[in-house]
Amino acid sequence: MSIRKRLPPEESRMAALEAARALLVEAGPQAVTLKAVAGRIGRTHANLLHHFGSASGLQKALAKYLAETICATIRDAVIASRSGIGKPRDVVDLTFDAFDREGAGALASWMLLSGNEDALDPIVETIHDLVVDLEEYSSDSQRSTTLALTLMALGDALMGGPLAKGLELPRTAARDRAEQMLIEGIAAQQPTQAQ
């Protein structure tokens, strides 16, 4: 008979979210079930129901967790880019990777297809909070750039490979265009120098 170590509620919740994230990346959003996550962390289905309420609650919590961790990284890259330490491509790659390799695009699609649209609210709220947090760097132009970059990354995650191939473009074409968009946006924000 095995004895499970009792974890504090926040540790148990974080372990479940990390397991859900791993399942998302490994096998896609359909693999992120209460049963699979519970099995991965050695907990019961009832334990996860206590933390998340339902599979939909788990998806919503996972979306929020992904958005928060990814946006924190993107925030640091934006600040580095603005201060001349980083490059706009770093911001582009982090955003595109979040939706592709980190599974946010697949999760968003899955939630929409399963009728769980409100689970996208944490993603939208976290991106909004990121823009507000970077207010000194933000303008209406940069908000629209954020929108375009996010939508480009989402679209690329969902069908970028086949579409780039069909258009006979390199696989990086959308990232390259997004980088150019950021560079142009930064240049437009720079005060014109008197000659």
Side-chain angles (χ1 to χ4, degrees):
M1 178 169 155
S2 69
I3 299 174
R4 292 182 210 190
K5 180 183 173 195
R6 184 165 175 85
L7 296 174
E10 190 54 33
E11 268 187 59
S12 182
R13 184 175 169 78
M14 288 306 298
L17 290 172
E18 280 297 324
R21 183 180 193 169
L23 284 165
L24 175 66
V25 171
E26 292 167 15
Q30 68 281 359
V32 182
T33 65
L34 291 171
K35 181 178 180 181
V37 172
R40 175 81 50 121
I41 62 172
R43 296 289 179 238
T44 65
H45 184 269
N47 180 265
L48 290 186
L49 280 173
H50 170 74
H51 287 292
F52 302 106
S54 64
S56 173
L58 173 62
Q59 289 176 349
K60 191 169 186 174
L62 177 59
K64 182 175 181 167
Y65 177 67
L66 284 174
E68 287 173 349
T69 56
I70 291 164
C71 281
T73 304
I74 292 171
R75 178 191 176 282
D76 293 343
V78 168
I79 290 171
S81 177
R82 296 284 183 218
S83 64
I85 297 169
K87 299 176 284 207
R89 185 58 177 233
D90 298 337
V91 176
V92 168
D93 286 340
L94 286 168
T95 304
F96 274 63
D97 288 347
F99 283 94
D100 189 15
R101 291 186 205 151
E102 297 293 322
L107 181 62
S109 296
W110 180 260
M111 289 184 302
L112 286 170
L113 289 171
S114 63
N116 194 9
E117 293 97 4
D118 68 325
L120 296 176
D121 292 346
I123 296 172
V124 173
E125 290 166 9
T126 304
I127 292 170
H128 172 267
D129 292 346
L130 172 65
V131 171
V132 168
D133 186 38
L134 296 170
E135 200 63 53
E136 68 181 281
Y137 304 106
S138 296
S139 65
D140 286 345
S141 169
Q142 291 186 324
R143 287 174 188 246
S144 65
T145 299
T146 300
L147 174 65
L149 178 60
T150 302
L151 292 175
M152 289 173 79
L154 175 60
D156 188 70
L158 298 178
M159 58 184 287
L163 188 55
K165 184 178 179 181
L167 294 172
E168 299 175 356
L169 293 169
R171 178 63 183 98
T172 61
R175 288 179 189 236
D176 298 340
R177 181 64 191 112
E179 178 184 19
Q180 189 60 41
M181 178 184 68
L182 284 184
I183 290 169
E184 290 168 2
I186 291 167
Q189 297 295 318
Q190 303 293 325
T192 55
Q193 305 257 333
Q195 296 201 7

